[in-house]
Amino acid sequence: MTTTTPEDTAGADAPIKREPRLAWLWQLLRNPLGALGLFLVLLIVISALGADVFSPYDYKALDVKNRLAGPSWAHLLGTDNLGRDTFSRILHGGQVALYVALVSIGVSLVLGLALGMLAGYGPRWLDNILLLCFDSVRAFPVIMFALAVITVVGPSLETIIGVVIMTTTPGYARIARNATLSLKNNEFILAERSLGARGKRIMISHLLPNLIAPLLILCSMDIPVVITIEAGLSFLGLGVKPPTPSWGSILYDGYSFIRNTPWIVIAGGIPLIITTLGFTFLGESLRDVFDPKMKKDR
Amino acid sequence: MPDLLEVEHLRVRFRTAGLVQALLKGLDDPFIDAVMDVSFSLAKGETFGLVGESGSGKTTLGRAIIGLVQAQEGSIKFEGKELVGLKDSQYQEVRRNIAMMFQDPIASLSPRKKVRSQIAEPFKIHNIKDKDPDQEARRLLKLVGLHEGFLEAYPHQLSGGQARRVGVARALSLDPKVIIADEPTAGLDVSVQGEILNLMNRLQRELGLSYLIITHNLPVVRHVSDRLAIMYLGRFVETGTTTEIFEKPAHPYTLGLLAAVPEPDPG
């Protein structure tokens, strides 16, 4: 064989294109919506985590003489019909809301990823069976489904979490499945197979890292949905049991006194709005940073 | 000495319609032949070129040899051992001896893995304990002419030529005897193409590798192949030594292909 040039490494020493490690965070903060979203989310998370420190009163303590008081320096957001400090109850309600949202979304994410990858990478018949299950569950309206389950099992925090897991998992699984389907014929997966890699290894170390980013973004946008479901069920008296505070039950307490004392409803509604806006802004901006081409899936 | 790789009357078919669909449409034969009655052999240290236009079945032939698609008829023998009909789990040993390089240099690397683990991947897959994957990664990287700084790079940080070198390093990791290279020069600048071909030539001399080079690029096969086959619609229309085919093409399709190569200085 003839070799025209003895040199075979000329271009190999070209420098590696490097990006700074936290470039995505900078990009996120440069977007005003992203910065606002991150700020609101941090506000909610910190106030919920530090609820015991920040609360001026015990959220269960009654102050009967000061029932239905308006905002004052003593009670920042006033008191409810039993004289409990609304500000302290809002902070602790945040704990409940975030607990429900994080646990149920976290479990849904893990389950959805596992089932979705199995459906996408596994044999055709498994895909068909799993898809049938996903679509059957998704056919139920969430609130109706929740009401039915609560009627049977009884209201509790755990029931809400269970219902949310059952209704959100199929959505994650479907997205994971579709992404798996589009990835599995990519050359890097074929290359892995040609090296002898088997299904488990391909799914865990090669598909998973490429699926997780879009799903985490979806999680961020789903958190306020779950918090609203919890608040809605608690408003109907089907969520957490008193005296545990929930933004939904605070709204319900205030609802009866809305003509005389609108403070309670306002105080219960504002954190819901902040949470929804915060997580939605954050999710959308993260999506723009990580994948400008990704279409909104829902 | 028998040839390293022997392919005889190989046939690969793809289903074009499902059972029910075929019945409904009244198709007797819902298949398409991607590879039809193909025979060739590859000796140790030899380079065999496989030339054809897009859709001629050359990539499918390569994938059938490494077991990514199933062959329906014929035989593929590696060191005398029959490969057609082996289960996926029985293919492991074969995949240590035959490695494949895919068309797109960057897309054939796992996007979220550093070069270090890309190259060490085969050691993990085959559970090889007696070699230190990290040291092997350094050795292989050096072998393909990249410095150690590339160990920590991600695929998207590499240029096409650098990624191709990483691909070569990964293919070499288990000391294979045969490398199937699907369009090794696709998507690279002409000067980089030359570097990669020279690299592959050097490695062949040093390690005694056999290459099966799949390409539509005639100047490339002319540069590297000892023998070549022209493939058209799933069949070999002509086989011979590279000089024979370039000097005295017999089949009209070969003539057409040769005539389609742009001249460097038309004049």
Side-chain angles (χ1 to χ4, degrees):
Chain A
M1 243 175 287
T2 52
T3 312
T4 44
T5 45
E7 186 64 80
D8 66 31
T9 56
D13 278 333
I16 310 167
K17 300 173 251 167
R18 287 213 189 274
E19 289 165 28
R21 204 160 269 266
L22 287 172
W24 63 272
L25 189 64
W26 174 236
Q27 249 182 302
L28 179 73
L29 290 174
R30 254 192 346 194
N31 177 354
L33 271 188
L36 180 63
L38 192 63
F39 171 73
L40 293 179
V41 166
L42 284 177
L43 182 74
I44 293 289
V45 170
I46 290 171
S47 64
L49 286 181
D52 295 316
V53 184
F54 300 139
S55 299
Y57 298 91
D58 181 358
Y59 66 88
K60 285 177 294 203
L62 309 181
D63 183 1
V64 189
K65 273 187 247 164
N66 274 324
R67 289 171 60 217
L68 297 171
S72 65
W73 285 114
H75 298 283
L76 279 177
L77 293 172
T79 56
D80 67 3
N81 53 326
L82 298 174
R84 295 175 296 192
D85 181 52
T86 307
F87 183 60
S88 307
R89 289 178 62 74
I90 295 281
L91 291 179
H92 282 91
Q95 274 183 339
V96 173
L98 282 184
Y99 172 73
V100 172
L102 293 180
V103 170
S104 52
I105 293 288
V107 175
S108 300
L109 177 68
V110 173
L111 273 180
L113 271 171
L115 292 174
M117 280 198 291
L118 275 180
Y121 196 77
R124 181 71 69 84
W125 59 266
L126 185 65
D127 186 26
N128 287 337
I129 292 176
L130 286 172
L131 273 187
L132 191 69
C133 298
F134 299 158
D135 289 343
S136 316
V137 175
R138 268 157 64 106
F140 289 99
V142 180
I143 290 289
M144 299 305 285
F145 184 61
L147 289 180
V149 172
I150 288 165
T151 317
V152 176
V153 187
S156 74
L157 214 55
E158 285 67 36
T159 317
I160 298 183
I161 292 176
V163 166
V164 170
I165 290 172
M166 285 186 71
T167 50
T168 49
T169 302
Y172 290 82
R174 241 180 187 285
I175 291 170
R177 170 192 173 265
N178 292 348
T180 304
L181 280 182
S182 73
L183 281 174
K184 84 171 182 184
N185 287 320
N186 272 21
E187 287 200 335
F188 73 94
I189 298 293
L190 289 175
E192 283 300 316
R193 287 176 55 201
S194 82
L195 291 171
R198 314 296 292 280
K200 196 171 124 198
R201 178 172 187 89
I202 289 178
M203 282 194 262
I204 292 174
S205 56
H206 297 282
L207 286 173
L208 188 63
N210 295 294
L211 295 177
I212 199 104
L215 276 172
L216 281 178
I217 291 163
L218 185 70
C219 283
S220 160
M221 301 217 240
D222 267 352
I223 285 173
V225 177
V226 174
I227 290 180
T228 320
I229 291 175
E230 183 270 319
L233 289 171
S234 298
F235 181 85
L236 296 174
L238 300 170
V240 294
K241 284 185 213 131
T244 311
S246 151
W247 293 342
S249 54
I250 294 171
L251 277 176
Y252 178 73
D253 290 343
Y255 184 63
S256 327
F257 308 99
I258 196 165
R259 281 169 192 280
N260 310 321
T261 331
W263 299 113
I264 307 175
V265 171
I266 294 172
I270 284 175
L272 275 174
I273 296 171
I274 293 180
T275 316
T276 309
L277 288 181
F279 279 103
T280 311
F281 288 166
L282 183 66
E284 296 211 0
S285 323
L286 278 176
R287 193 189 57 205
D288 292 346
V289 169
F290 282 110
D291 196 350
K293 284 171 297 187
M294 192 170 105
K295 281 189 223 93
K296 204 171 177 186
D297 211 88
R298 303 138 33 104
Chain B
M1 196 186 85
D3 283 333
L4 205 54
L5 184 71
E6 281 175 281
V7 174
E8 269 168 33
H9 306 295
L10 192 75
R11 185 177 191 191
V12 181
R13 321 177 79 196
F14 290 127
R15 206 171 239 290
T16 52
L19 273 176
V20 181
Q21 210 187 356
L23 270 176
L24 288 176
K25 290 188 180 164
L27 299 172
D28 302 331
D29 188 26
F31 291 97
I32 186 167
D33 287 306
V35 175
M36 261 302 262
D37 196 22
V38 159
S39 306
F40 72 95
S41 63
L42 182 66
K44 187 171 166 26
E46 189 187 28
T47 302
F48 190 86
L50 201 54
V51 189
E53 58 189 19
S54 307
S56 59
K58 52 195 199 305
T59 296
T60 307
L61 176 54
R63 289 182 184 179
I65 294 172
I66 196 113
L68 289 180
V69 294
Q70 288 273 310
Q72 267 72 30
E73 284 172 29
S75 91
I76 305 170
K77 284 204 177 85
F78 178 75
E79 294 183 318
K81 190 185 165 209
E82 179 61 53
L83 305 186
V84 173
L86 284 188
K87 288 205 195 86
D88 208 40
S89 52
Q90 297 167 307
Y91 237 101
Q92 297 299 78
E93 195 53 38
V94 180
R95 287 175 177 149
R96 294 179 63 157
N97 287 314
I98 306 180
M100 182 152 183
M101 282 156 51
F102 288 80
Q103 280 193 27
D104 187 326
I106 295 172
S108 57
L109 301 175
S110 194
R112 309 254 166 182
K113 298 260 179 235
K114 288 181 178 171
V115 166
R116 177 197 299 279
S117 50
Q118 309 269 6
I119 301 180
E121 179 79 5
F123 298 101
K124 304 222 172 84
I125 292 172
H126 292 278
N127 207 5
I128 293 170
K129 295 268 165 60
D130 54 341
K131 281 182 184 162
D132 175 27
D134 204 53
Q135 253 172 22
E136 285 295 296
R138 283 165 203 275
R139 179 182 70 83
L140 288 158
L141 211 54
K142 205 170 155 199
L143 192 66
V144 296
L146 293 176
H147 62 79
E148 289 195 354
F150 284 97
L151 281 173
E152 305 300 325
Y154 286 97
H156 66 95
Q157 298 171 324
L158 302 174
S159 70
Q162 291 164 348
R164 179 49 86 209
R165 283 169 197 274
V166 173
V168 174
R170 181 173 65 177
L172 288 174
S173 55
L174 297 176
D175 279 329
K177 294 175 177 145
V178 177
I179 290 187
I180 303 173
D182 192 354
E183 302 281 9
T185 56
L188 302 177
D189 292 346
V190 176
S191 65
V192 181
Q193 286 186 5
E195 286 176 26
I196 295 294
L197 293 177
N198 290 333
L199 170 72
M200 289 177 64
N201 271 344
R202 194 193 82 209
L203 293 171
Q204 183 170 42
R205 279 196 309 276
E206 287 174 8
L207 307 170
L209 297 166
S210 307
Y211 287 133
L212 174 62
I213 298 208
I214 301 170
T215 182
H216 64 266
N217 190 331
L218 284 168
V220 166
V221 275
R222 186 170 204 173
H223 182 60
V224 297
S225 304
D226 304 315
R227 289 189 302 135
L228 59 95
I230 310 285
M231 206 166 175
Y232 179 61
L233 294 181
R235 291 162 212 264
F236 280 5
V237 293
E238 194 166 357
T239 21
T241 65
T242 308
T243 0
E244 269 171 18
I245 289 187
F246 275 90
E247 305 283 313
K248 292 191 216 95
H251 196 277
Y253 180 69
T254 316
L255 279 169
L257 269 186
L258 289 176
V261 176
E263 285 173 50
D265 183 18

